Amino acid sequence: MATASSLFLSSSPISTAPRTRNGPAAACPPSARPSLRLRQRPSPAIAAAVQAEHQSAVVAAPKPPALPFRVGHGFDLHRLEPNLPLIIGGINIPHDRGCEAHSDGDVLLHCVVDAILGALGLPDIGQIFPDSDPRWKGADSSVFMREAVKLMHEAGYELGNLDATLILQKPKLSPFKETIRSNLCDLLGADPSVVNLKAKTHEKVDSLGENRSIAAHTVVLLMRK
């Protein structure tokens, strides 16, 4: 199980630029080849900025028994709004709208983090990285992912497999899926054979089907080392 000192590493201030609505996001022309941009990795200083004031949420969680395997489920949903970047799995996806959120709004990474934390019997992402904390305004969600993976290893587990489903009406994700999956494997330190990613529309039903929101589900299997 992770210790407070390993999860909450430093009290140094975090510096993350908040997202703005300065001008519309560029849509991908139908005839153009998609140009994906991997988000820059956060610095070690940012990764070390998880504050000691949050440690009570983790310390208070009961220590899970040493089971041979553990299963976790994660879910996340965000509104889509004009003039915001659409970031999925750490990748900037060309679209005319993006996720309204306190951090970067990466629905897939938030969902995976919650699945890992759930499998370990730990508090959810909102308790460890609350949206009431200005330090996480616009924060890169890979910071949250790396902390979740660290907790997994410190608890004595490794990823058995992961299955994730993205639900959105637009844009079509088939041109981007392998890039997203590759980056997800990198963040997890996992072989691609154990990481699966699917994308579904919502058949134009409710906010998901009307291009007003995006959602994700993730199931993880953690195996005892």
Side-chain angles (χ1 to χ4, degrees):
M1 189 68 181
T3 63
S5 60
S6 64
L7 175 61
F8 305 104
L9 302 176
S10 169
S11 59
S12 59
I14 185 168
S15 174
T16 54
R19 301 181 306 155
T20 64
R21 299 174 181 265
N22 295 332
C28 182
S31 61
R33 180 182 177 84
S35 177
L36 301 182
R37 182 165 64 86
L38 181 66
R39 301 195 79 206
Q40 185 176 2
R41 294 284 186 238
S43 69
I46 293 177
V50 183
Q51 299 296 315
E53 68 190 66
H54 302 306
Q55 67 181 350
S56 59
V58 172
V59 172
K63 183 176 181 180
L67 301 173
F69 63 87
R70 302 182 68 88
V71 176
H73 172 260
F75 170 77
D76 197 28
L77 180 146
H78 286 296
R79 291 195 314 274
L80 290 173
E81 298 287 353
N83 307 328
L84 288 174
L86 179 60
I87 300 165
I88 301 176
I91 306 298
N92 283 305
I93 305 296
H95 194 37
D96 62 356
R97 57 186 62 200
C99 290
E100 178 73 41
H102 185 69
S103 65
D104 64 2
D106 194 323
V107 68
L108 178 59
L109 295 193
H110 294 179
C111 183
V112 172
V113 167
D114 259 351
I116 294 172
L117 295 176
L120 296 172
L122 294 176
D124 63 36
I125 187 173
Q127 291 177 264
I128 298 178
F129 303 99
D131 60 11
S132 58
D133 191 333
R135 285 169 296 192
W136 309 124
K137 180 68 174 177
D140 191 320
S141 293
S142 65
V143 172
F144 313 148
M145 272 287 295
R146 295 185 189 282
E147 284 300 322
V149 170
K150 182 191 296 183
L151 283 170
M152 175 183 71
H153 289 301
E154 290 179 346
Y157 289 89
E158 60 187 358
L159 184 67
N161 75 295
L162 178 150
D163 186 31
T165 303
L166 288 159
I167 308 170
L168 71 167
Q169 197 67 31
K170 295 178 182 179
K172 296 294 186 183
L173 289 185
S174 52
F176 317 128
K177 279 174 61 178
E178 284 308 308
T179 303
I180 295 170
R181 189 168 75 105
S182 176
N183 192 51
L184 186 58
C185 290
D186 179 56
L187 291 169
L188 291 164
D191 188 271
S193 65
V194 301
V195 176
N196 189 45
L197 177 64
K198 308 183 297 294
K200 307 286 185 182
T201 70
H202 215 242
E203 299 296 335
K204 300 183 179 179
V205 176
D206 66 36
S207 66
L208 289 165
E210 294 170 356
N211 195 31
R212 294 188 289 111
S213 65
I214 177 175
H217 289 268
T218 298
V219 176
V220 297
L221 173 67
L222 307 186
M223 307 293 294
R224 193 76 183 172
K225 292 182 181 179

